[in-house]
Amino acid sequence: MPRRLEPSSSLSLRLPLSLLATLLLGCGLTVAAQGAEECPQRGDLAPMYCDADGDLVADAPSDESQLLDPDPLVFAYTPVEDPAIYADIWEPFIEHLRDVTGKDVRFYAVQSNAAEIEAMRSGRIQVAGFSTGPTPFAVNLAGAVPFAIMGSDDGEFGYTLQVYTRKDSGIDELSDLKGKRVAHTSPTSNSGNLAPRALFPEQGITPDEDYEVVYSGSHDQSMLGVVAGDYDAAPVASEVVDRMAERGLYDPEEVKIVFESKRFPTTSYTYAYNLKPELIDKIKEAFFSFDMKGTELGEEFDGVTKFVPVTYQKDWEVIRDIQDANGVVYSQENIE
């Protein structure tokens, strides 16, 4: 499903690739050794990356001198309502990552999907969890390589898109959303925007045409806005609202679900494409050897017990299909 490739930033609109690469290197950023004329294919990847093996993620630099072994190692988790809480929740895993890699590992709180993607692209973070919808942007614009996802003992993983409304709203099915004010989260969100735009027309309701779309900024804000009556309804990720209910952020008795989709992959855990292979092996070892049971992380993410392996090519195919149906182009301007 080829898409027209757009430059990853406005800078690349004005500069030839060779000069852009020189400037990026001067800023401490790593550019793959293959130039445009030497890279056999790159698909949707930004011009600084290459995908010679066709697995849809950036190849490691062919010049070993460009491979990185940073210390400290910086880990970021997808934007949340209260980053401070999640820094504490992730601490048991961060300590485990320190032990396995032998590095000083630090948690980096991000404020938006765009900020997180830019942080990996610029080398400020090396390991990161990206939300479902922004993952393809991180892959194509920042050289992120998804390799793990939270799952259960039997290796199952995923979440659903749920549409919530207040019990007293008079909305009982999707067709009742006509003429209503509905909170989507952000343009790149899968369950909060792109999946509804791809799936709802099949149910006889089209966002922006049949109802007013208002971007709330996050699943948390969408849900809280529904409870407060600011929005008539909201499509949200099941795993997010489940955690909100467990923390007592809203009363489940006040709301109801009027639509639920099939399951999607959850947050992808990724490493930067230009890390040394030995470090990548240690990062993977840390993820796959971590037992969430009895930790704050395991308690926060209900129903998961460990990290399980994934690939971007296989496990994000449904997300790419949804984004393709929405005409999504992986450009810097389209992240938010």
Side-chain angles (χ1 to χ4, degrees):
M1 294 166 292
R3 283 182 288 272
R4 178 173 170 266
L5 178 66
E6 292 193 359
S8 61
S9 70
S10 59
L11 178 63
S12 59
L13 293 173
R14 301 189 297 271
L15 297 175
L17 181 62
S18 58
L19 179 55
L20 175 61
T22 301
L23 290 174
L24 289 172
L25 285 170
C27 294
L29 303 182
T30 302
V31 178
Q34 299 97 332
E37 70 284 353
E38 298 171 344
C39 180
Q41 63 178 343
R42 60 172 47 92
D44 288 331
L45 295 175
M48 64 192 68
Y49 309 119
C50 189
D51 180 26
D53 58 8
D55 63 358
L56 305 185
V57 298
D59 299 336
S62 57
D63 182 351
E64 293 187 1
S65 69
Q66 294 182 350
L67 295 172
L68 305 180
D69 188 22
D71 198 352
L73 190 65
V74 183
F75 170 82
Y77 180 62
T78 184
V80 290
E81 188 68 19
D82 192 341
I85 290 177
Y86 275 81
D88 293 336
I89 289 171
W90 277 99
E91 184 53 34
F93 173 77
I94 296 296
E95 187 60 38
H96 181 68
L97 187 58
R98 290 188 187 109
D99 292 341
V100 175
T101 63
K103 294 184 177 294
D104 175 18
V105 181
R106 300 178 185 176
F107 183 89
Y108 181 79
V110 294
Q111 303 301 317
S112 68
N113 294 315
E116 185 178 22
I117 291 169
E118 172 58 23
M120 178 163 278
R121 188 193 71 82
S122 63
R124 296 196 302 276
I125 60 176
Q126 297 82 38
V127 185
F130 289 100
S131 295
T132 303
T135 288
F137 285 84
V139 167
N140 288 291
L141 301 180
V145 180
F147 68 95
I149 196 169
M150 288 183 179
S152 60
D153 282 336
D154 59 7
E156 293 295 318
F157 58 83
Y159 72 101
T160 62
L161 151 63
Q162 297 173 330
V163 177
Y164 276 87
T165 184
R166 287 186 59 89
K167 283 187 176 178
D168 58 4
S169 68
I171 298 170
D172 297 311
E173 54 189 32
L174 283 185
S175 61
D176 294 331
L177 295 181
K178 290 185 177 180
K180 303 297 185 181
R181 191 167 186 262
V182 180
H184 286 207
T185 58
S186 65
T188 60
S189 173
N190 179 63
S191 56
N193 184 56
L194 297 176
R197 292 183 182 278
L199 300 179
F200 286 6
E202 300 172 0
Q203 306 295 321
I205 193 86
T206 301
D208 279 328
E209 294 182 14
D210 294 321
Y211 66 73
E212 178 189 0
V213 172
V214 181
Y215 288 113
S216 68
S218 71
H219 295 275
D220 306 58
Q221 291 294 343
S222 288
M223 195 63 189
L224 294 175
V226 167
V227 172
D230 297 331
Y231 313 119
D232 296 303
V236 290
S238 60
E239 60 170 1
V240 177
V241 294
D242 288 347
R243 292 198 299 272
M244 291 177 66
E246 290 168 4
R247 294 202 300 271
L249 297 180
Y250 74 94
D251 182 357
E253 293 301 316
E254 296 182 2
V255 296
K256 62 183 177 181
I257 298 172
V258 295
F259 174 83
E260 187 166 19
S261 73
K262 295 180 180 179
R263 300 188 76 79
F264 304 124
T266 54
T267 297
S268 67
Y269 293 91
T270 71
Y271 58 79
Y273 81 106
N274 56 351
L275 300 182
K276 285 191 174 182
E278 299 83 0
L279 177 56
I280 292 172
D281 289 342
K282 288 292 186 183
I283 291 170
K284 289 182 176 180
E285 178 186 344
F287 273 83
F288 297 137
S289 64
F290 184 70
D291 186 356
M292 296 183 197
K293 297 174 185 175
T295 68
E296 290 186 71
L297 196 60
E299 293 173 1
E300 175 68 12
F301 295 92
D302 188 44
V304 300
T305 58
K306 63 181 182 179
F307 292 98
V308 297
V310 293
T311 66
Y312 175 70
Q313 186 171 32
K314 174 179 177 290
D315 297 297
W316 256 258
E317 182 178 16
V318 62
I319 306 305
R320 295 194 302 274
D321 287 347
I322 288 172
Q323 294 180 342
D324 185 58
N326 281 276
V328 171
V329 175
Y330 301 125
S331 67
Q332 196 74 26
E333 294 78 10
N334 289 340
I335 295 175
E336 297 287 7

